[in-house]
Amino acid sequence: MYRVRMITGAAAAHRKNITGEGVAIAFLDTGIFPHPDLQGRISAFRDFREGKTLPYDDSGHGTHVVGICCGNGKLSGGRYTGIAPRARIVSAKVLDRGGNGSREHVVESVHWILENQKKWGIRILNVSVGAVNKIEDKNTELVACMEEAWDAGLVVVVAAGNMGPESGSVTVPGNSRKVITVGAYDDCTFPNGCYSGRGPTDDCICKPEITAPGSNIRSCSSEYFLNGKRYCQKSGTSMAAPVVSGAIALLLQREPHLTNVEIKMRLKNCAKDMRMPKQRQGWGAIDINSLLT
């Protein structure tokens, strides 16, 4: 679910039959709609908001995010194929239809994912969720649970948030020194102005680590069975994060022995310098071809 002109490496990866097969990615978001491009690969779903048992997405955000990462392009004849189109999906609904949620639900969902990490083979946690509340103890709790997931071996990929372009605008938990924080390098092409969160953090950590495309990304629509709308466009660092998560799934399919720290260093070494300020681009833009070769 990406624009080919933006991510040339994904097409090359597909030609090499690197599809993310066998790698499971957990998503904290607004849920997931069983879109035809995703069906058959949703290993688990849990609703921490309403307690419903069947997969659903009353916002559309979560389905769009998962499609960018894992969509197989079935309804588009392969035109809108995600980065890792055969990766397996674990969905935790922690946000409501307005994108709002509680830290308690996020923490609870992370513990659920860790409890089932081996059962479902989860290697990556994608967090297109960010908090802007200044309550220090709540923010610390959110960061701590993400770092717990990282210490348990998961590759934790977090959106930088859309509060930019001011300095120090990365949202929580993207400010964690351990996780991989993703910004959008094309945010200043957006009609309403630049939005991607910029570093540094309060602890003077350079953030984001890496950037990816995030503006006007076409991906799976949660309204398919409602009105026949197959795909829709959204923008934000929420869209950039699953590009990186999908690329990591491709890498793990090829080199399953890699640790999260080794993957983080590989991203650093393979990043493409966009000639932007470091607090905007971090190491640079993800280069999937370089990452896999």
Side-chain angles (χ1 to χ4, degrees):
M1 305 306 161
Y2 53 86
R3 293 182 290 177
V4 176
R5 68 181 180 84
M6 298 174 114
I7 309 175
T8 57
H14 293 170
R15 288 195 296 271
K16 298 174 185 175
N17 295 317
I18 306 172
T19 60
E21 185 175 12
V23 179
I25 307 169
F27 295 85
L28 304 189
D29 220 295
T30 62
I32 186 171
F33 170 76
H35 190 282
D37 286 13
L38 308 173
Q39 282 182 351
R41 290 180 291 117
I42 303 175
S43 298
F45 169 79
R46 183 163 173 181
D47 178 11
F48 289 87
R49 298 285 308 179
E50 303 292 338
K52 297 179 181 179
T53 56
L54 296 178
Y56 75 103
D57 182 3
D58 51 2
S59 164
H61 185 276
T63 303
H64 194 276
V65 166
V66 176
I68 293 169
C69 188
C70 306
N72 63 17
K74 179 179 179 180
L75 289 185
S76 64
R79 181 180 182 186
Y80 300 122
T81 302
I83 305 298
R86 295 180 70 179
R88 291 179 288 113
I89 302 158
V90 174
S91 172
K93 180 174 174 59
V94 296
L95 303 179
D96 63 18
R97 69 175 61 207
N100 301 308
S102 70
R103 287 167 180 79
E104 289 75 18
H105 286 146
V106 171
V107 172
E108 187 181 357
S109 70
V110 170
H111 290 161
W112 172 70
I113 288 166
L114 293 179
E115 288 170 3
N116 294 283
Q117 180 179 356
K118 292 183 179 179
K119 177 181 177 181
W120 294 317
I122 302 169
R123 298 296 306 273
I124 303 162
L125 174 59
N126 187 91
V127 186
S128 290
V129 174
V132 295
N133 197 308
K134 297 298 183 179
I135 302 176
E136 186 63 33
D137 60 337
K138 293 289 186 181
N139 290 345
T140 300
E141 182 182 15
L142 198 53
V143 169
C145 82
M146 296 301 161
E147 295 188 347
E148 181 183 356
W150 181 274
D151 292 341
L154 293 182
V155 186
V156 184
V157 180
V158 181
N162 303 331
M163 304 302 290
E166 290 77 16
S167 176
S169 53
V170 170
T171 55
V172 179
N175 61 331
S176 163
R177 65 175 61 247
K178 291 186 178 182
V179 306
I180 298 168
T181 304
V182 184
Y185 66 67
D186 57 352
D187 64 319
C188 288
T189 65
F190 199 61
N192 295 332
C194 307
Y195 59 80
S196 186
R198 266 71 158 165
T201 68
D202 292 339
D203 297 326
C204 296
I205 303 168
C206 180
K207 289 282 181 175
E209 275 85 9
I210 196 99
T211 57
S215 296
N216 300 315
I217 305 298
R218 187 171 294 276
S219 182
C220 298
S221 170
S222 63
E223 299 180 357
Y224 174 62
F225 286 139
L226 181 65
N227 58 20
K229 188 175 183 180
R230 300 178 181 185
Y231 303 100
C232 61
Q233 287 190 176
K234 294 183 184 293
S235 299
T237 58
S238 288
M239 285 65 248
V243 172
V244 175
S245 292
I248 293 170
L250 300 182
L251 180 59
L252 282 171
Q253 180 191 348
R254 186 166 180 162
E255 301 182 53
H257 61 278
L258 291 175
T259 67
N260 50 15
V261 174
E262 289 170 334
I263 289 169
K264 193 172 184 179
M265 290 303 99
R266 182 80 67 91
L267 284 169
K268 179 180 181 180
N269 294 334
C270 297
K272 180 181 179 181
D273 186 0
M274 300 295 287
R275 300 183 182 276
M276 295 175 178
K278 195 168 185 179
Q279 67 178 18
R280 179 181 173 190
Q281 74 160 20
W283 302 322
I286 189 167
D287 184 332
I288 299 178
N289 271 335
S290 180
L291 185 70
L292 297 178
T293 58

